[in-house]
Amino acid sequence: MADGASSSGGARDGGETVVIDYGRRRTTCGYCRSSGPTSISHGMWANSLKADDYQALLDRGWRRSGCFLYKPEMERTCCPSYTIRLKANDFICSKEHGRVLKKMQRFLDGELDPQVGSPQCKASPTKRSLSEPLNSPISKVSKVSANEFQAATCPNFLKEDEFISCLSSKINEAIDTYFQGVVLGSTVQLPKAVVKTVKPQVKKKVGEAMQENKAGVQDLVYTCNISFQIVAAVRRALPKEKSANQTEVLADLSPNSVAEKLVTTMGHLGELAGFEVKACNGHLNFYSSANSAMQNYTGDAVPAQASDKASRSKQGSVNKISAKHPQKRKSLEIRMSTSHFDPEEFALYRKYQTKVHKENTVTESSYRRFLVDTPIVFVPPKSGDNTVPPCGFGSFHQQYRIDGKLVAVGVVDILPKCLSSKYLFWDPDLAFLSLGKYTALKEIDWVKTAQEHCPSLQYYYLGYYIHSCNKMRYKAAYRPSELLCPVRYEWIHYDLAKPLLDRSQYSILSDYATMQDETPQLQICGPSDDSSAKVDHHESPSDEDDEDVNDYESEMMIDEELVDSEKADTTECGSSIKDIENITLDLNGSKVKYKDLQQVFGAIERRHLNALEGQLSRYAKVVGKELSDRMVYCLS
């Protein structure tokens, strides 16, 4: 008897990879809603699967649904699906992702009332009914009441954008005033100021520096780097041969000097109550010794006495509402456990499937097959071993609990190179929190943390990217992402692959270099806020267009009895016998390499060998020779 297939990975490998019968599957597509079985994929069942081997399969375009492994047949399927990943340490958080994180933080801090955005309030009294006239006084009162309620529960959030806009306008006014007296020429177009909120960690450093210098501690709230942009714009725009006045201007043109002059000019134009503007290393910093400026702000300069009176009036209203609705800090806990059946998780899954995906019946058996069963062999962590993360390798359920209540579950696979996100289900009552996007960001953070213990674990796999399905393009918003070429299995930057996919929904992505048009420049300095990326993480094909629904990718929820198997003719494959001679076969518990098959079992009829060779050749072609040589192929 020949030895079983061996695998790389050393001591961390547990058991062996055993797969059953390769074949083709035809199903009805959930993305294009085709009327017939137009979704075509390669498929096979796995009895057991090493973490290293499943990682290798992922990097050849495979995915799993429970114990079923599948790979779209890209040339023939209706909606070609490309494996997409990103390197966690290179991830760029977009504005939309930042808003999701802030929204969750406000909810946990008690500043965001769930009733304002929950699905139960879709038909809220702020919306006019069909029978209600346009000038109805009831409609006006309802709208005012809703606005007052939102302003009272979250005053800072509603005012901050308006206040930042005011600060930006003040800076732009100072720029226009100062540069009116400076001869720059008509070709210079000065940029507009953008004021940003200072991150907590930066505030902490500034406060420590002030304490070391024994200076009065002030709260750094906002900052602006317009001085650097002005200097760059002026230097680019002025001609090489400059006039005497322009030479004099450039001699004194530096971010520090521009920032100082803008601060002086803003002082002449009038100060903002509660704020002090300072120039610091070329930045314009806005300090507040007390966080009262936002409450005092009314949009225009007002006498301090009137401002204080208005502030006391507003604060009194907020205090009254706070007394009726005290804000309570909520706790968020994230737990990770190996894949197993949990009745509480199943109850949440059933609620999610019926309310979000409109399923009439959700059975425990289908849930187990899809999200609990896994062929991946668990590899426990070892003390002092930096090749395995603290949780080990395998399939896991990541629970998200708010004040102890289960609100979301992420089903993930932890592998030697990545966290592979498989599925997410969440509480539909908390749809306003965009839990799909939030959990995706948390999974990216998890990879960054795990990399400290397991350096090889660097990537976040988001499943499949389907360019031909508008609602699946949201995954490209997690930047900078890469797509897997379906032929050469090379990772291609999304910005290079997109022009090819715009031309044809199936493309050999590694052919981007042969495009006749000019190769696009990579733009990875900033995130994409494309409208097609507004649907939530882990989205499933759905007829629902409301982005608050945040559906999740179905990942081919396949039941064995619903799958049609299509065995191809042996003439389809042109592989040689060398490609399959080292495949290890499991025949009723006996393991033998194909090249030794007749030595062990005696002569076999040619027609049976031809059929087996055709089947193994197709299997080796889609799995890869290296993997097919080290996995065990079980003949049913």
Side-chain angles (χ1 to χ4, degrees):
M1 183 186 301
D3 294 334
S6 61
S7 176
S8 61
R12 74 183 180 197
D13 292 333
E16 61 186 2
T17 294
V18 181
V19 298
I20 305 175
D21 272 2
Y22 157 79
R24 284 195 178 98
R25 272 43 177 187
R26 286 179 175 269
T27 59
T28 300
C29 183
Y31 299 106
C32 64
R33 300 296 184 184
S34 60
S35 57
T38 59
S39 179
I40 305 172
S41 66
H42 306 279
M44 57 189 178
W45 292 92
N47 276 354
S48 62
L49 191 59
K50 292 183 181 180
D52 295 86
D53 291 339
Y54 185 48
Q55 176 71 70
L57 286 170
L58 280 181
D59 292 334
R60 289 186 65 88
W62 290 81
R63 294 281 288 171
R64 75 174 184 90
S65 175
C67 293
F68 181 74
L69 306 177
Y70 62 96
K71 172 185 177 179
E73 191 166 347
M74 303 289 276
E75 306 95 325
R76 301 175 64 193
T77 193
C78 54
C79 296
S81 308
Y82 298 84
T83 302
I84 183 171
R85 75 176 187 182
L86 66 88
K87 196 170 186 177
N89 284 340
D90 294 340
F91 172 64
I92 302 171
C93 190
S94 70
K95 292 181 181 178
E96 172 63 20
H97 295 147
R99 284 192 288 268
V100 170
L101 293 173
K102 289 179 181 178
K103 188 192 301 180
M104 174 61 81
Q105 191 58 53
R106 295 201 315 275
F107 178 71
L108 295 177
D109 290 339
E111 297 176 359
L112 180 63
D113 194 301
Q115 295 180 351
V116 174
S118 63
Q120 292 86 338
C121 292
K122 291 290 184 183
S124 65
T126 62
K127 293 185 178 180
R128 184 176 60 87
S129 65
L130 293 176
S131 60
E132 183 182 330
L134 283 171
N135 57 354
S136 169
I138 298 177
S139 177
K140 294 180 180 179
V141 170
S142 298
K143 290 178 181 178
V144 171
S145 300
N147 291 336
E148 287 178 350
F149 175 75
Q150 288 179 329
T153 53
C154 195
N156 288 353
F157 172 68
L158 294 177
K159 287 290 186 181
E160 186 166 15
D161 288 344
E162 185 182 356
F163 190 71
I164 288 176
S165 177
C166 174
L167 293 180
S168 301
S169 299
K170 293 290 184 184
I171 297 174
N172 289 330
E173 184 181 356
I175 293 171
D176 293 339
T177 302
Y178 170 69
F179 282 99
Q180 277 179 356
V182 179
V183 180
L184 292 178
S186 59
T187 59
V188 179
Q189 293 184 350
L190 296 176
K192 297 297 183 181
V194 176
V195 175
K196 296 183 178 180
T197 305
V198 178
K199 294 181 179 180
Q201 54 266 35
V202 178
K203 288 185 182 182
K204 183 178 179 182
K205 290 181 180 179
V206 172
E208 292 173 351
M210 286 184 170
Q211 288 179 346
E212 290 178 3
N213 296 331
K214 297 182 179 180
V217 177
Q218 294 176 298
D219 185 14
L220 174 59
V221 184
Y222 304 107
T223 188
C224 179
N225 65 351
I226 187 62
S227 303
F228 294 89
Q229 300 173 40
I230 290 175
V231 172
V234 172
R235 293 188 183 277
R236 283 196 306 267
L238 289 182
K240 294 182 179 179
E241 296 182 2
K242 306 172 185 65
S243 65
N245 288 335
Q246 291 172 343
T247 303
E248 183 180 349
V249 169
L250 288 176
D252 193 32
L253 191 68
S254 69
N256 287 338
S257 64
V258 171
E260 290 170 359
K261 283 162 183 166
L262 289 179
V263 168
T264 303
T265 305
M266 290 178 69
H268 295 322
L269 294 175
E271 297 180 354
L272 287 169
F275 273 107
E276 182 178 355
V277 187
K278 294 181 181 180
C280 181
N281 296 327
H283 292 79
L284 296 178
N285 289 343
F286 294 83
Y287 297 87
S288 175
S289 55
N291 291 324
S292 59
M294 283 292 297
Q295 296 169 1
N296 292 338
Y297 173 65
T298 60
D300 298 306
V302 295
Q305 200 172 23
S307 177
D308 290 342
K309 184 177 180 180
S311 177
R312 285 195 299 270
S313 176
K314 290 180 181 178
Q315 191 61 44
S317 300
V318 172
N319 288 340
K320 288 179 182 178
I321 293 177
S322 298
K324 294 180 181 179
H325 306 281
Q327 295 179 351
K328 181 183 177 183
R329 180 73 170 84
K330 302 177 181 65
S331 63
L332 172 66
E333 182 182 5
I334 303 176
R335 306 175 186 172
M336 184 176 285
S337 61
T338 54
S339 182
H340 68 282
F341 179 79
D342 183 331
E344 186 181 13
E345 288 184 2
F346 174 64
L348 179 63
Y349 172 79
R350 182 164 51 192
K351 180 180 180 181
Y352 169 79
Q353 292 296 126
T354 54
K355 289 193 174 184
V356 176
H357 291 291
K358 313 301 181 186
E359 289 193 13
N360 295 325
T361 56
V362 179
T363 64
E364 181 180 317
S365 59
S366 65
Y367 168 73
R368 285 179 180 270
R369 286 197 302 272
F370 179 42
L371 295 178
V372 178
D373 294 347
T374 176
I376 302 177
V377 180
F378 175 68
V379 178
K382 295 182 180 179
S383 178
D385 184 357
N386 66 347
T387 64
V388 181
C391 65
F393 291 134
S395 299
F396 298 85
H397 285 197
Q398 198 165 34
Q399 294 185 347
Y400 295 80
R401 294 181 177 272
I402 296 180
D403 284 348
K405 180 185 177 183
L406 184 66
V407 299
V409 177
V411 181
V412 300
D413 294 323
I414 308 298
L415 305 171
K417 288 167 53 179
C418 73
L419 180 151
S420 175
S421 182
K422 186 184 183 308
Y423 202 75
L424 176 86
F425 51 94
W426 37 264
D427 190 342
D429 295 337
L430 298 179
F432 69 98
L433 288 177
S434 302
L435 289 171
K437 294 187 181 78
Y438 182 79
T439 55
L441 297 172
K442 285 299 177 183
E443 288 170 358
I444 294 172
D445 285 341
W446 185 93
V447 175
K448 293 179 181 178
T449 303
Q451 190 177 347
E452 299 174 3
H453 305 280
C454 180
S456 66
L457 208 163
Q458 300 182 25
Y459 292 94
Y460 178 58
Y461 282 53
L462 294 86
Y464 285 136
Y465 171 81
I466 305 176
H467 195 71
S468 57
C469 178
N470 286 332
K471 293 194 69 177
M472 291 302 293
R473 292 189 183 186
Y474 72 94
K475 294 183 180 182
Y478 295 85
R479 296 170 62 89
S481 55
E482 300 173 303
L483 299 180
L484 183 67
C485 175
V487 173
R488 301 184 181 95
Y489 303 112
E490 300 172 0
W491 291 100
I492 308 300
H493 195 284
Y494 174 79
D495 290 345
L496 296 176
K498 184 178 182 298
L500 287 170
L501 295 176
D502 288 339
R503 295 181 178 184
S504 172
Q505 63 181 17
Y506 169 68
S507 296
I508 301 175
L509 302 183
S510 53
D511 284 348
Y512 73 89
T514 64
M515 290 178 61
Q516 294 181 357
D517 296 342
E518 183 179 351
T519 302
Q521 294 181 353
L522 295 185
Q523 297 178 351
I524 59 174
C525 57
S528 170
D529 283 320
D530 191 280
S531 60
S532 65
K534 290 184 178 179
V535 186
D536 209 356
H537 170 56
H538 310 314
E539 176 185 359
S540 70
S542 173
D543 293 329
E544 183 65 65
D545 290 326
D546 186 352
E547 71 176 82
D548 289 336
V549 173
N550 300 332
D551 287 346
Y552 200 129
E553 183 176 358
S554 66
E555 297 290 25
M556 292 180 66
M557 297 174 61
I558 297 175
D559 289 329
E560 185 174 2
E561 64 272 16
L562 299 179
V563 174
D564 295 324
S565 178
E566 176 196 345
K567 301 291 184 179
D569 295 331
T570 57
T571 56
E572 277 190 18
C573 189
S575 302
S576 67
I577 194 68
K578 291 183 178 180
D579 294 329
I580 65 172
E581 62 182 3
N582 288 317
I583 293 179
T584 299
L585 303 176
D586 186 324
L587 299 170
N588 297 324
S590 299
K591 294 174 185 174
V592 56
K593 290 187 181 295
Y594 177 76
K595 63 182 179 182
D596 301 325
L597 189 62
Q598 297 193 76
Q599 295 179 12
V600 175
F601 293 99
I604 301 175
E605 290 186 35
R606 188 67 247 176
R607 62 188 179 92
H608 294 313
L609 284 179
N610 288 341
L612 182 56
E613 286 175 4
Q615 184 174 341
L616 294 181
S617 295
R618 294 189 298 274
Y619 160 73
K621 183 178 179 181
V622 295
V623 168
K625 187 177 186 308
E626 181 182 350
L627 264 176
S628 63
D629 283 353
R630 73 182 191 224
M631 297 195 305
V632 177
Y633 189 96
C634 182
L635 289 175
S636 58

